[in-house]
Structures are given as structure tokens and as C-alpha cells.
Amino acid sequence: SLQIFEFTIPKRVFVFLLAMLGMILTVIGVSAFLISAEIFVYVRLYKHFFSDEGYLTFTLPVKRRDLLNSKIISGLVVNIATFAVVAADIGIILTIGIDFETIQKIGESFFWFIGSAFETMGALCIAYILEAIVLILCLAIMSYLLVAVCITFAAVIAKKYKIFAAIGIYYIASAVVSFVGQFALMFGSMSLAGIFSSIPEGSVLGVGALMLLSVSLLASAICVCLYLLELHMLEKKLNLN
């Protein structure tokens, strides 16, 4: 028994340390994958539009609107694929060491929750799902266009060090967006609490769907404004000479 005690404990410690190291490397790898995908999208945008490749890009018989649309679509495809891979990786990590019966029970609980939601909410459940999808897409496009606007604005106003100018402009823009978002979240939460406390219980889900629709429309309007601003700078303000 003494020999078992002497050799089992160090072995367990070694396995624990090895597992912790693997977990740390996994988190670093997944994080690096997410960041590198984002950097890849914006580096391609900069090189195709604002580096020496821009001279060739804008001499092609293609409208600048179509070029911008292609960048937005390709950026969304890369982001969606990246998050799908990350979600699959997280799912694999979470299922390691779990027996099949437990996984089956989790799946059954998930589908039971979805079925209960449809039974309780009815058509509003579909409305919530569609509005959530639209909002997520709008937020993804908004995030891409915000960075694209910062890069384009830096290319318009700066003759040299355009990348550093773009980073500085994005830092200022993200700080402003963060401040406005926190301000809106703080006062919006207080307003929502007052609204939901004053309406009948049976109307809460419908009002929530209308509010989510309003947020989706607001996000869509911001996307349109950023898109028009980006297109205006590409067509009217950009000078690669």
C-alpha cells in the first residue's frame, strides 16, 4: 500500500498538470484562431483597397459598390465559419469524459425546452428567433463596417502611416460606441423595468417581441448609415495617387 501511495499521487499530479497545460494551450489556440480570422479579413480589405493592390482593384470594370459588397459578404462568411468551428471545438471539449447517456439526456432536455417554448409562446417564438437572427447579422455587419469606415477614413486623411491612423481612429470610435452603449443600456434597463411593470402579464411576450424588433430596426438603420458612409468615401473621397 505504501508503494501505491508513493507512485499513484505523483502520477495523478502529473496527469492533472498535463490536463491543465492542455486546457491553457487550447484556450490560447482558440483565441488565436478567432483573432487571426478577424485580422485576416481586415488585412485583405486594406491590401485590396488601400495598398498598391488598390490601383489594380479600382481599375477593374467593377463598380465600387460591388467591390464593397463582396468584401462585406466575404467577411461575414469568414466570421460565420470561424464561429462555427469555435462552437464545434467547444462542444467537443465539453463532451470529453461524458458518457453517451448523459449527452443523450442533455439533448433531450434541449429539445424539450424548445418544444415547451413553442407551446408557450406559439408564433411569437418564431418571431423571437427571426428577430434574433436579424439582430445578430446586423451586429456582425455593423462591426465589420465600423472597422472598414475607420480604415477608409484613415486612408483618406493620412498620407503615411495609414495603419496606425486607422488603429487610432478605431480606438476613438470604439470608445465612443462603448460609452453610448453603456449609457443606453443603463437608461434602457430602467425604462424597460418601468414598462414591463405597467403592462398586463399576458402582453409581456408581445411587447418584448416589439422591443426586439425595434432594436433590430435600429441596428439595421445604423448598418445602412455606415454602409452609405463607407461607399461615399470609396467613391468620392478616396484618392490613391
Side-chain angles (χ1 to χ4, degrees), residues 12-23:
R12 290 178 178 177
V13 172
F14 175 75
V15 172
F16 175 77
L17 293 176
L18 189 63
M20 288 297 296
L21 178 61
M23 180 60 68

Side-chain angles (χ1 to χ4, degrees), residues 25-46:
L25 292 177
T26 299
V27 172
I28 293 175
V30 172
S31 301
F33 177 68
L34 281 171
I35 295 173
S36 61
E38 288 289 320
I39 293 175
F40 169 79
V41 169
Y42 298 122
V43 166
R44 298 314 301 166
L45 172 70
Y46 177 81

Side-chain angles (χ1 to χ4, degrees), residues 58 62-69 231 234-235 238:
F58 292 120
V62 181
K63 295 181 180 180
R64 299 196 177 189
R65 180 184 66 250
D66 297 331
L67 293 173
L68 176 59
N69 293 339
L231 184 61
L234 287 177
E235 291 181 341
L238 185 62

Side-chain angles (χ1 to χ4, degrees), residues 132-153:
I133 293 174
V134 171
L135 181 59
I136 291 172
L137 287 176
C138 288
L139 292 177
I141 296 173
M142 187 192 309
S143 176
Y144 179 87
L145 285 175
L146 179 62
V147 179
V149 166
C150 294
I151 294 174
T152 306
F153 186 66

Side-chain angles (χ1 to χ4, degrees), residues 78-110:
V78 170
N79 287 332
I80 292 172
T82 300
F83 281 106
V85 172
V86 171
D89 291 340
I90 294 174
I92 293 172
I93 292 171
L94 294 177
T95 55
I96 292 177
I98 301 178
D99 58 279
F100 179 76
E101 292 183 0
T102 303
I103 296 175
Q104 188 176 9
K105 290 180 180 179
I106 294 174
E108 291 175 354
S109 300
F110 174 76

Side-chain angles (χ1 to χ4, degrees), residues 114-179:
I114 297 297
S116 299
F118 272 97
E119 290 180 2
T120 304
M121 302 172 62
L124 283 177
C125 188
I126 299 176
Y128 271 101
I129 294 173
L130 293 177
E131 289 169 2
I133 293 174
V134 171
L135 181 59
I136 291 172
L137 287 176
C138 288
L139 292 177
I141 296 173
M142 187 192 309
S143 176
Y144 179 87
L145 285 175
L146 179 62
V147 179
V149 166
C150 294
I151 294 174
T152 306
F153 186 66
V156 169
I157 64 173
K159 298 297 183 181
K160 297 181 179 180
Y161 308 110
K162 296 179 181 179
I163 295 178
F164 294 103
I167 294 174
I169 293 171
Y170 177 74
Y171 178 79
I172 296 173
S174 60
V176 172
V177 171
S178 177
F179 174 78

